[in-house]
Amino acid sequence: MDEVWNGIRTVDYEHSRPDATLLEWELYTRSLIAWPQTLMNEATPYGRLRRPGIVDISEPIHQHLAGTWHTRLADPEYAAELITRTAAARARTAAALSALDAALDDAHPIAASAALADATTHLLTVMSAHIVNWLLPEPVWERLLTGLLGSQASALACGSALMTPTDPGRLLNAHLTPAAAVPAARQRALEYAASWSAAVVLAAAGDPHRLTEAQLVITLSRWAADSEERRAELRDHYLAAVTRWAALTGVDAAQLTVTDLITSGAAR
């Protein structure tokens, strides 16, 4: 996802998402820069925007922010607050998108524009959770699981299983046909993850500190998987609604920016 050159870490969505629109790139880059504020109330931005699809982060800033976040993730109180905070953000975004859908169904441009501005603001908060793709303390978790389970192979298998979303509909639907196979596959995936969770807890039993660490890995892995799954669903819902709004209002969807949509409610 990122490259480091001369002390600068670059996240390049132009490369990783070459077919994305300007709006999609902005959703990613704006939320990436804002993730420290969104997820841990840290004012330091995560880098600077080079252009709409590219963010440059100095390596010291990356190390500081990632290190701070990893330290906080080891705190059960912060982890619980993070899960609550991000779940609430997703719920607010889903509600805003429902309101937007209703306004679009009514073909009411003014109401739809106001609803779109609201949905855009909420989605940016949810999009900040896409850092779970690459900023989790996976090496630390892998070492813990290796120590508990006895081998790196077991640790890797366990870590992969723990990253199963609670409701992995989009993930499995993308890879399985016919549709009738999805519920059974989902259940198998969840049972596999549950068996690894039980094995980790059993291995850590008797050592309160390691048990707390193990439970955090399980809980945060599930949070990360669910956050990514739900974030992607909300993003797709939002982009479909933007296309509908553009058709309703007669604007070119390919030229839209985040600023256009945040100010759309006031402009109409």
Side-chain angles (χ1 to χ4, degrees):
M1 189 64 183
D2 50 8
E3 299 178 356
V4 181
W5 179 257
N6 287 338
I8 299 295
R9 182 176 294 262
T10 297
V11 180
D12 185 350
Y13 294 104
E14 291 182 5
H15 176 73
S16 62
R17 304 183 68 84
D19 297 324
T21 63
L22 174 63
L23 174 61
E24 289 178 76
W25 283 342
E26 281 200 308
L27 289 175
Y28 279 98
T29 54
R30 282 189 179 225
S31 60
L32 177 65
I33 291 169
W35 82 256
Q37 178 65 50
T38 302
L39 299 185
M40 58 180 184
N41 298 322
E42 164 65 61
T44 304
Y46 190 65
R48 63 177 182 80
L49 188 69
R50 185 195 305 177
R51 57 178 183 261
I54 301 178
V55 176
D56 292 322
I57 311 104
S58 75
E59 190 61 11
I61 289 294
H62 166 78
Q63 294 295 339
H64 164 67
L65 291 173
T68 299
W69 196 49
H70 292 173
T71 298
R72 294 193 184 185
L73 288 175
D75 176 2
E77 185 174 333
Y78 169 75
E81 191 274 334
L82 176 67
I83 291 168
T84 299
R85 181 193 305 200
T86 50
R90 293 195 299 272
R92 287 192 296 269
T93 303
L97 287 171
S98 292
L100 174 56
D101 287 340
L104 290 168
D105 289 343
D106 291 340
H108 195 303
I110 295 177
S113 296
L116 179 57
D118 188 46
T120 302
T121 299
H122 286 302
L123 182 70
L124 283 168
T125 299
V126 171
M127 287 291 293
S128 287
H130 82 287
I131 65 161
V132 302
N133 284 324
W134 75 95
L135 276 187
L136 289 171
E138 292 180 351
V140 175
W141 291 0
E142 183 182 321
R143 286 194 296 273
L144 173 67
L145 294 176
T146 298
L148 291 172
L149 299 173
S151 73
Q152 185 183 40
S154 293
L156 292 173
C158 176
S160 178
L162 293 178
M163 284 292 184
T164 301
T166 303
D167 182 17
R170 180 189 65 90
L171 184 66
L172 290 178
N173 286 339
H175 299 287
L176 291 175
T177 55
V182 172
R186 177 186 300 147
Q187 185 60 33
R188 287 195 301 272
L190 292 174
E191 288 174 357
Y192 186 58
S195 67
W196 274 115
S197 296
V200 169
V201 170
L202 182 61
D207 184 332
H209 177 70
R210 295 188 88 192
L211 180 59
T212 296
E213 290 182 322
Q215 289 171 328
L216 274 173
V217 170
I218 294 167
T219 299
L220 288 169
S221 294
R222 184 175 296 119
W223 165 77
D226 284 341
S227 289
E228 176 59 15
E229 192 76 359
R230 304 287 83 78
R231 177 200 66 79
E233 290 172 348
L234 291 168
R235 177 205 60 204
D236 290 350
H237 185 167
Y238 171 83
L239 292 173
V242 169
T243 299
R244 292 180 64 196
W245 177 83
L248 176 66
T249 57
V251 300
D252 183 357
Q255 300 301 315
L256 288 170
T257 67
V258 166
T259 299
D260 291 335
L261 300 184
I262 288 177
T263 60
S264 63
R268 292 178 178 273

